[in-house]
Amino acid sequence: TGPISSECLGNLLRITLSAEYFEDKYLSFSVVDKSGIPWELDEAMASQCGYTVTYSNWSNIEFRASALSCHSRLEKDVFTVTIQIKASHTRDMKNATTHLKSADCHYGPWSPRELVCESNYMEVSVRREVPQTVKEFIQDEPEDWTLAFPEAKAGEPTIWQIVFHQPEEKKALLVSDAWSAGYGLNTTDTRVLLRVPYTAVQIQLVEAQGITFSAVRSSTFYKQQWMILMVDTAVACPVDGVDYTNKTIIWTVPKYIQPLSAGATRFKDVLVEAGVDLHKLSAKEMASRKYVLSNDLNAITMKIPVGAEGGYYKTSVSSGQHGAKYTINLFLEHQWEDNKWGLTKHTIIKEIETPFERVEIAIIDNSNLSARLMNVTVGTFLPDVELVNLTIEGATVAVPEAVQHGYLTYEIRYANGSKAYVIQVSFDAPSIKKEYMRADMRSYTLNVTLAFITHPTSETFTVPVITVSAVKDAVLPNARGFCDGRNLHVMITRGNVDHNWLPFISDWRLTPETAQKYSYSLRDNGTHLAISVPFLSSHVNYEDFRASGIKASLHLSLKDGITLANRRNFSISCRFSPSELIQCLPNGTVVITAVKLVGIADLDTSLLVLRDRQCKPSLVTEKTATFKFNVNTCGTSRKFNSTTMTYENDVLYFRPGNDTPVYQLKFVCSYAIKQTVDVQYESKKNPPPSIKPGFGSLALSLKLFKEKSYSDPYQELEYPVVKYLREALYFEVELLQPEDARLELNLDDCWATNSQGQDSLPQWPILINGCENSKDSYRTVFHEVNYSLRVKFPQHLKRFEVRMFTFVQGTTLLQE
């Protein structure tokens, strides 16, 4: 009970430190000798002196001491061990608290030979008897006996030297040398002890029935009154023998192996017992846990189902991947009799750990859209895992600091000891990525990497958490436009999805620098984007000439700043006075600007001429050509009346090899007597193209769109489309091939049927001779088609709107 508890387990004492009490503390262990002096433990001293420090289930800390450990006090059949534990929150052990724990354990009777296989050492203790004197003992130096003789005379029972039997030689070490080499040697009134760390030089690896043993074959010499006596202190412990088959652990231990049975010829099993965590289990207890213990002629075998009671899973990390291993601390006690030693007791402690098995980590999105709160549960994890930091937008922050970035984290513990972590963050946190999806939908993306550490192994792994929530809260930008006498103006009111959308005119990005280059106006205050473009500019489209003026249009789009995907289109069309294109100067100079019409895609403005084809433009752009000449040149004609002089000329365009112009712009300058004025002009209709009958292939498409903007057609997988009565259907018919700007698509008849057959009955006409059906309750509405990035030739498309209806016969509905 309490933070420190002790338990006597045969010839071992176990002291357990509560993980909960000593969590997050640095510890040091010291063993207190009979004089009260503490000796701080390290790995070397522990394995030499018979101490083991390890971790039991998850993070409990376990200290074990042999009954014959260096500083245990053995009186009759009771051994006493006292340890000192210091705990501090800092590695330098400042301000450490000290805990003293002493325990008495009864153990007996002792067998003539006892062997212990601990996790960090092997131990053999042999009963002291008085056999025959060894006449020829091994010594390192001639004077060893002389030095040892006075001690022997004193009558104190002490070890003099130890001899290691190796295949190639025998190696003798005095006590001091053996101790310096890491061996533990001791005598009591009744026993001689040898303790060997697994790292010792004299260890040999031997095989028995395919199982490897770590073995030391040795003879220990000790003095008893006036005699030097020798005992066999061989020891061997299995280092493997574990297999994993069909989710079962199979541990095999051969019996009567050669290093322990040298000189014996007859063997008899006395006792075979096994258990977990040094607790022996009865046959009934083993059966309830589905353990199988079998003892045949040559070996003892234990079979443990992976995951069985008595073991536990612990977190493991392999190549950065999260996983688990099943761990169980088995022990086996085998007692046998032979004709050399009598009774031998062999205790083997074996911590078995299954191979790494990857474990997927569940990520559950419990986001609350109405509360605009992202809520993600990550896990479950075993209790030995701790969340230590989060990486947010490339910055790593510790868990307590994450709240400053808007991230709340907390732990959920379950009844079986496992746990999960919950991450909460507002949709509006700066690190949450917001993206426009479609219509009124926005996506919110949480992208955070969680870093974990395992206790006590300090392995680390990360879990990337990426969740996306779709919310109907998108506000799209909208626009209004107007024109004055010389400019086209577009005013865009921004929404909440277009913070990184960029303005484009056609495929040309509009920036403050490019706007200044072309004398455009671009103003952006964060909430509104205002664009002004002069009537005569390379990014304005000219659609037709009429007496009322020149129709000019500007097409503007907003594109995604990363993918450049088209997000929103706006356009404005206005008519401008023809007087914007002509100047009749008093000195008889005329300046005329001709513009390229969108209907003549192949027109090269540099090839425009006046009546005198030698008169060519003095300034050319992609869409305009400017002529400057005197009224008495370039084929200009002149007329007189009583009040004015009138000069006329034409801007013409001829295709190569053709003397019939495909473009003709007539202009007039009238001069009053003693006065020069600018006059309006109108374009002469282009000569009609000659039409010859012929045959060919036309590629047409008929599409149904979702909105009046004709930007989002229904895809094949979305059919059949469900609509309610009188709901609008937006149709578009397009001439796909040939791409000839001289062609214009006209619709003649269009009708609806009750089935997929175009000639099936009943039918209802939607268009008759290119016009709406006058008998319709809701007449077909035509929509104008303007030039855009998708529409290269507006004259190749026709768009119309039809209200949803159904066929009836009398008062009976034919089909929904």
Side-chain angles (χ1 to χ4, degrees):
T1 60
I4 304 176
S5 60
S6 62
E7 188 176 13
C8 297
L9 299 162
N11 58 352
L12 292 169
L13 164 70
R14 176 165 61 197
I15 295 176
T16 302
L17 279 62
S18 165
E20 185 176 355
Y21 182 84
F22 289 98
E23 187 177 15
D24 298 330
K25 293 185 176 72
Y26 295 93
L27 301 177
S28 73
F29 290 85
S30 298
V31 183
V32 180
D33 64 15
K34 61 184 179 181
S35 302
I37 299 172
W39 297 83
E40 187 172 353
L41 275 184
D42 57 21
E43 289 185 10
M45 178 182 173
S47 59
Q48 186 176 35
C49 281
Y51 303 109
T52 303
V53 178
T54 184
Y55 290 89
S56 60
N57 194 338
W58 290 312
S59 294
N60 285 336
I61 301 166
E62 193 171 290
F63 169 89
R64 294 195 294 266
S66 166
L68 297 174
S69 57
C70 289
H71 300 295
S72 64
R73 296 180 294 283
L74 185 62
E75 295 181 6
K76 295 184 179 180
D77 289 334
V78 176
F79 66 94
T80 302
V81 176
T82 303
I83 66 169
Q84 175 185 280
I85 304 158
K86 289 186 177 181
S88 173
H89 288 285
T90 58
R91 189 181 295 274
D92 59 11
M93 301 304 292
K94 288 184 177 179
N95 302 316
T97 57
T98 301
H99 305 265
L100 203 63
K101 180 69 176 179
S102 183
D104 300 324
C105 291
H106 179 272
Y107 177 65
W110 290 79
S111 300
R113 180 172 64 163
E114 296 202 359
L115 304 159
V116 176
C117 297
E118 251 288 8
S119 60
N120 59 331
Y121 63 84
M122 303 184 292
E123 180 181 283
V124 55
S125 69
V126 180
R127 180 183 297 162
R128 285 177 56 151
E129 296 178 348
V130 186
Q132 293 180 359
T133 303
V134 179
K135 297 180 179 179
E136 295 179 358
F137 50 86
I138 300 172
Q139 56 186 7
D140 286 339
E141 301 293 339
E143 61 269 28
D144 281 347
W145 173 248
T146 308
L147 295 173
F149 184 79
E151 297 176 9
K153 187 176 179 180
E156 296 178 0
T158 58
I159 294 175
W160 176 55
Q161 66 180 9
I162 181 169
V163 177
F164 294 99
H165 302 265
Q166 294 179 304
E168 65 278 2
E169 65 175 349
K170 293 180 180 180
K171 176 70 172 176
L173 294 178
L174 293 176
V175 173
S176 58
D177 296 330
W179 189 264
S180 299
Y183 295 96
L185 302 99
N186 198 7
T187 60
T188 69
D189 291 340
T190 58
R191 303 191 75 78
V192 175
L193 167 85
L194 171 65
R195 190 175 297 111
V196 184
Y198 286 108
T199 56
V201 174
Q202 276 73 29
I203 279 183
Q204 302 172 52
L205 295 180
V206 299
E207 274 199 9
Q209 303 175 38
I211 309 300
T212 303
F213 279 75
S214 181
V216 170
R217 182 81 173 86
S218 63
S219 300
T220 300
F221 292 80
Y222 68 97
K223 64 184 181 66
Q224 179 84 15
Q225 296 180 348
W226 295 98
M227 296 177 288
I228 297 296
L229 305 178
M230 180 190 75
V231 293
D232 184 348
T233 48
V235 63
C237 293
V239 295
D240 54 21
V242 180
D243 291 316
Y244 309 95
T245 306
N246 298 325
K247 296 288 184 179
T248 301
I249 299 169
I250 303 173
W251 180 31
T252 302
V253 180
K255 300 192 294 187
Y256 319 129
I257 68 167
Q258 197 279 330
L260 302 182
S261 57
T265 56
R266 296 189 305 275
F267 301 93
K268 177 186 175 183
D269 278 346
V270 175
L271 181 69
V272 174
E273 289 185 309
V276 176
D277 292 330
L278 297 175
H279 288 285
K280 296 178 182 178
L281 296 177
S282 67
K284 183 178 179 181
E285 289 172 319
M286 286 196 183
S288 70
R289 300 183 182 195
K290 295 184 171 54
Y291 295 3
V292 176
L293 176 64
S294 57
N295 179 19
D296 60 24
L297 185 62
N298 297 312
I300 302 167
T301 303
M302 283 191 76
K303 295 182 179 179
I304 311 291
V306 174
E309 179 186 353
Y312 64 97
Y313 284 98
K314 63 181 180 181
T315 303
S316 182
V317 180
S318 176
S319 300
Q321 298 294 314
H322 167 266
K325 295 180 180 180
Y326 175 75
T327 299
I328 189 166
N329 196 17
L330 299 176
F331 90 97
L332 177 68
E333 183 179 300
H334 179 207
Q335 296 185 35
W336 73 88
E337 288 182 344
D338 58 46
N339 60 341
K340 177 183 178 182
W341 286 100
L343 185 64
T344 295
K345 178 180 177 182
H346 196 183
T347 302
I348 304 172
I349 299 170
K350 185 72 171 178
E351 182 175 351
I352 296 176
E353 185 177 87
T354 61
F356 173 86
E357 186 172 344
R358 185 178 176 185
V359 177
E360 293 291 337
I361 299 171
I363 298 175
I364 302 172
D365 186 357
N366 299 310
S367 296
N368 188 331
L369 302 187
S370 60
R372 298 183 63 78
L373 184 67
M374 287 190 151
N375 186 312
V376 180
T377 301
V378 183
T380 56
F381 299 103
L382 293 172
D384 56 358
V385 169
E386 179 189 1
L387 174 64
V388 289
N389 61 55
L390 298 80
T391 300
I392 306 165
E393 293 187 306
T396 300
V397 297
V399 170
E401 300 167 5
V403 69
Q404 300 172 16
H405 297 260
Y407 287 74
L408 176 65
T409 64
Y410 60 90
E411 186 179 281
I412 301 175
R413 289 190 176 268
Y414 301 107
N416 63 357
S418 64
K419 60 184 176 181
Y421 287 92
V422 176
I423 313 297
Q424 289 183 343
V425 59
S426 169
F427 280 4
D428 302 311
S431 61
I432 300 300
K433 184 180 180 182
K434 306 166 188 67
E435 287 186 299
Y436 173 63
M437 298 172 62
R438 61 186 180 277
D440 58 350
M441 301 293 291
R442 275 201 297 179
S443 68
Y444 291 81
T445 302
L446 167 67
N447 188 344
V448 61
T449 300
L450 309 181
F452 296 87
I453 191 169
T454 64
H455 297 294
T457 54
S458 297
E459 294 178 303
T460 60
F461 64 95
T462 59
V463 179
V465 177
I466 302 175
T467 62
V468 180
S469 298
V471 184
K472 288 186 176 182
D473 66 351
V475 178
L476 294 175
N478 60 76
R480 62 183 181 88
F482 63 94
C483 299
D484 55 24
R486 293 180 177 273
N487 300 281
L488 297 93
H489 304 277
V490 179
M491 176 73 74
I492 298 174
T493 302
R494 291 195 177 276
N496 62 5
V497 297
D498 54 322
H499 60 280
N500 70 333
W501 293 3
L502 306 175
F504 279 75
I505 299 177
S506 297
D507 288 327
W508 178 74
R509 183 180 169 188
L510 190 57
T511 65
E513 293 76 22
T514 56
Q516 184 178 14
K517 176 181 177 181
Y518 286 92
S519 299
Y520 298 171
S521 173
L522 177 64
R523 301 181 302 279
D524 188 353
N525 65 2
T527 60
H528 293 82
L529 178 65
I531 300 166
S532 299
V533 176
F535 158 62
L536 287 176
S537 70
S538 59
H539 296 100
V540 172
N541 294 322
Y542 306 100
E543 298 181 6
D544 63 33
F545 289 111
R546 295 183 185 177
S548 57
I550 306 162
K551 186 178 181 181
S553 61
L554 177 66
H555 299 281
L556 183 71
S557 62
L558 295 178
K559 296 187 179 185
D560 189 285
I562 298 174
T563 66
L564 294 183
N566 206 48
R567 294 300 191 187
R568 197 82 164 145
N569 294 317
F570 305 107
S571 62
I572 179 176
S573 296
C574 299
R575 288 199 175 274
F576 288 85
S577 170
S579 63
E580 293 296 322
L581 301 181
I582 188 170
Q583 289 180 285
C584 300
L585 301 178
N587 63 357
T589 299
V590 177
V591 180
I592 178 74
T593 300
V595 295
K596 177 180 178 178
L597 299 178
V598 294
I600 311 176
D602 61 347
L603 188 147
D604 185 347
T605 55
S606 67
L607 300 180
L608 288 169
V609 295
L610 298 177
R611 287 177 184 171
D612 182 349
R613 296 192 188 184
Q614 298 302 313
C615 292
K616 297 181 180 180
S618 57
L619 180 64
V620 173
T621 69
E622 182 185 354
K623 293 185 178 180
T624 65
T626 300
F627 296 84
K628 185 176 181 180
F629 60 96
N630 189 273
V631 293
N632 296 318
T633 61
C634 294
T636 306
S637 61
R638 182 175 61 181
K639 295 180 181 179
F640 293 92
N641 61 27
S642 59
T643 59
T644 60
M645 290 185 298
T646 302
Y647 296 89
E648 295 181 2
N649 207 328
D650 299 281
V651 178
L652 306 168
Y653 180 72
F654 300 91
R655 287 198 172 95
N658 195 330
D659 289 333
T660 302
V662 295
Y663 178 98
Q664 184 175 4
L665 177 65
K666 183 176 182 178
F667 60 91
V668 176
C669 275
S670 295
Y671 291 90
I673 296 175
K674 297 183 180 179
Q675 186 179 7
T676 300
V677 295
D678 293 342
V679 296
Q680 292 185 350
Y681 72 96
E682 66 179 20
S683 64
K684 183 178 179 180
K685 290 185 178 179
N686 293 330
S690 59
I691 301 175
K692 294 181 181 180
F695 298 93
S697 298
L698 298 178
L700 298 167
S701 73
L702 173 63
K703 295 179 182 177
L704 176 61
F705 284 74
K706 298 177 182 178
E707 296 176 322
K708 190 176 180 179
S709 64
Y710 287 88
S711 60
D712 190 7
Y714 285 100
Q715 304 300 318
E716 184 177 351
L717 294 176
E718 295 178 279
Y719 287 93
V721 176
V722 178
K723 293 284 187 179
Y724 296 101
L725 286 177
R726 293 191 292 278
E727 197 171 358
L729 300 171
Y730 300 100
F731 291 95
E732 179 188 86
V733 184
E734 182 179 7
L735 172 63
L736 302 175
Q737 293 290 339
E739 290 187 348
D740 191 335
R742 295 172 296 174
L743 297 180
E744 181 173 356
L745 175 66
N746 289 296
L747 302 181
D748 193 4
D749 294 325
C750 179
W751 64 94
T753 64
N754 199 32
S755 67
Q756 293 187 6
Q758 65 180 25
D759 297 322
S760 63
L761 296 174
Q763 297 182 356
W764 184 257
I766 295 171
L767 299 177
I768 302 174
N769 295 325
C771 300
E772 64 266 29
N773 185 355
S774 60
K775 296 180 181 180
D776 262 339
S777 302
Y778 297 91
R779 294 192 179 185
T780 301
V781 178
F782 287 94
H783 293 295
E784 185 179 1
V785 182
N786 294 315
Y787 176 84
S788 68
L789 290 177
R790 190 173 72 83
V791 180
K792 185 176 180 181
F793 303 113
Q795 67 271 28
H796 287 187
L797 285 86
K798 287 292 184 286
R799 292 171 175 169
F800 56 92
E801 173 185 341
V802 178
R803 296 288 175 172
M804 186 67 189
F805 64 92
T806 189
F807 288 96
V808 295
Q809 187 171 10
T811 59
T812 303
L813 182 67
L814 292 183
Q815 182 179 345
E816 291 189 1

